Amino acid sequence: MINSLSFVLLETTKQFYEVGIPGTIIFSAIGIVMSVIAFKIIDWLLPGKMTHQIADEKNVAVGIVAGAMILGICIIIAAAIAS
């Protein structure tokens, strides 16, 4: 009984390291790249430059809106990856 349980745990742990961790890294990279691309597209579509407003002019309101927008995009990307 103990040998079969330890074998199952060993196989589960082995599968976690072989499949789980690389999959997590790959999907995380895909999600980050998609988020950056989405931010750049929205920054390009809107009048003015959000990056300039946030970094150079220290516009807090634009920063809050950009953060909320990225959070919403990331929720959509996470749901798409999870399904």
Side-chain angles (χ1 to χ4, degrees):
M1 176 76 176
I2 293 176
N3 286 338
S4 63
L5 181 61
S6 63
F7 177 74
V8 169
L9 290 174
L10 181 65
E11 286 299 314
T12 304
T13 305
K14 183 179 174 185
Q15 183 182 12
F16 171 73
Y17 285 117
E18 290 177 353
V19 177
I21 291 177
T24 301
I25 292 170
I26 290 169
F27 282 121
S28 297
I30 291 170
I32 291 169
V33 168
M34 289 175 64
S35 298
V36 169
I37 291 171
F39 178 78
K40 293 294 182 183
I41 289 172
I42 291 173
D43 189 24
W44 176 65
L45 289 174
L46 294 176
K49 290 290 180 192
M50 287 193 317
T51 52
H52 173 73
Q53 287 285 322
I54 294 169
D56 297 336
E57 297 183 16
K58 309 288 190 245
N59 193 336
V60 177
V62 174
I64 291 171
V65 169
M69 179 192 62
I70 287 296
L71 185 61
I73 290 170
C74 288
I75 290 171
I76 294 168
I77 292 170
I81 289 175
S83 64

